[in-house]
Amino acid sequence: MFMNAGLDKFFHYTPMPKLTDAQIKVFAAFNEIGWLMPLVGTVEVIGGLLFIFPKTRALGAIIILPVMVGIVLHNVCKDQSQMGIIISVVLFLVNLWMIVDNKEKYKALVS
């Protein structure tokens, strides 16, 4: 899902649902910052690729975490569609699960 979302930020192949006025303002602000969406797309693609392989999954989970927090906050605060909230929370929980599951690999970073 992360790789698909990241690639869509570059190639725009997924149709956009009808946006609310609040979402239009948010996306207009994102577009004003020309480098933001390509950066988020790059992080999603790299994090998604790293997440696939068990050896690099811990790094992928950490890379995706800030993007995932932003997605959950956007869906809860601005989108508020049931399906968007459910999907983002489930993906966030999977991300947290991977972080907890790989906690031994992070000990060197925080010791």
Side-chain angles (χ1 to χ4, degrees), residues 8-83:
D8 187 54
K9 286 177 181 55
F10 294 104
F11 301 115
H12 309 290
Y13 54 83
T14 304
M16 287 283 287
K18 184 164 172 49
L19 300 176
T20 65
D21 290 337
Q23 288 174 313
I24 290 171
K25 288 179 184 176
V26 168
F27 287 119
F30 287 162
N31 287 331
E32 275 295 312
I33 308 169
W35 54 266
L36 183 62
M37 294 315 279
L39 174 65
V40 172
T42 302
V43 168
E44 287 175 336
V45 170
I46 291 170
L49 281 170
L50 292 171
F51 210 88
I52 291 173
F53 304 105
K55 187 173 183 172
T56 59
R57 190 166 291 146
L59 179 59
I62 289 295
I63 288 174
I64 287 292
L65 184 63
V67 174
M68 218 37 251
V69 169
I71 291 168
V72 170
L73 288 174
H74 173 78
N75 281 323
V76 169
C77 298
K78 296 289 183 189
D79 187 7
Q80 298 177 345
S81 71
Q82 292 287 346
M83 190 54 71

